[in-house]
Every structure is written in structure tokens, then in C-alpha cells.
Amino acid sequence: MPNNHNSFKNKKKGKQRITNPEEVRHIEQELLSFYAFAKARSEQTYEVAVLTFYKDQEAELKTMLRKLTDQYRKHKFFTLGNIKITLCTDDKFQGDEADMVLLSFTKASR
């Protein structure tokens, strides 16, 4: 999904954070769309991986997933209806599998 948002570099507490809030919103919308699909097929459980290359973006995605699923104590594994969501960096997910993978590139530069 094209994303030319230019605010992926934020300063917080004196250090540069690599995040892309617009991309987090895109991923949230994709999850909501998939949830509508999955809800109609309640007899099946789906596994979705939300991956990123940057720890700061992972923190932004975690905040979004906590709000979306109403699971504020979760860190890596979330549930949305009949969808099991795994959040982590791409290297930690290596060797695992999921029905759908949403990859956050974070940076919009070419």
C-alpha cells in the first residue's frame, strides 16, 4: 500500500524514533476489514502476523493493537474475534507462519 507520509522520524526524549503513524492507521484499517471477513466465517480461526523492521514502530503498533482488541496488558499475542494476531519484528518472526502477514516498512523514502 503506497504511503508517502513524511513524519516517520520523530524526536522523543532526545533521541530519534523511526515511526510512521499513517502506516499504523493503514494496518489498523486492514485488520478491521479482515475482521469483518473473518467474523462471517466464525467456524474458522485465522492467524495474522503484524511485522515491522523497527522496535519503535513495533511500539506504535502495540499501542494500536491494545486499543483495537481492548487487551491492554498484552505485548505480542492479541485476539480479535476469531483472529489470533502476532506482533513482532521481522527477525523474531522468522521461521513462523500465518494466514496473512501485514508488513510495516515504516520508512516512506525510496
Side-chain angles (χ1 to χ4, degrees):
M1 178 176 303
N3 181 358
N4 294 322
H5 197 267
N6 62 1
S7 70
F8 63 86
K9 291 183 180 178
N10 302 310
K11 288 227 175 200
K12 191 170 188 176
K13 295 182 183 175
K15 73 170 195 163
Q16 184 173 328
R17 299 183 71 226
I18 300 176
T19 63
N20 190 322
E22 186 66 23
E23 196 167 81
V24 172
R25 285 189 284 279
H26 284 302
I27 289 174
E28 180 179 26
Q29 289 305 309
E30 287 298 317
L31 285 170
L32 288 170
S33 294
F34 188 69
Y35 176 60
F37 166 84
K39 193 163 56 168
R41 291 149 185 86
S42 60
E43 70 284 348
Q44 186 172 349
T45 301
Y46 296 94
E47 294 183 22
V48 175
V50 178
L51 308 178
T52 184
F53 300 105
Y54 300 98
K55 296 292 276 177
D56 292 332
Q57 184 74 349
E58 182 183 28
E60 295 290 322
L61 289 163
K62 184 187 305 179
T63 299
M64 177 272 292
L65 286 170
R66 285 176 170 175
K67 289 178 186 174
L68 181 66
T69 63
D70 199 29
Q71 297 170 333
Y72 292 93
R73 293 180 181 251
K74 299 282 184 159
H75 296 281
K76 182 177 180 178
F77 301 107
F78 299 86
T79 305
L80 182 63
N82 57 332
I83 303 172
K84 295 179 180 179
I85 303 169
T86 302
L87 169 68
C88 58
T89 57
D90 64 317
D91 57 332
K92 288 183 182 175
F93 191 74
Q94 190 170 343
D96 288 345
E97 58 184 45
D99 298 311
M100 180 169 74
V101 175
L102 298 171
L103 179 60
S104 173
F105 285 93
T106 308
K107 292 186 176 185
S109 58
R110 296 174 202 243

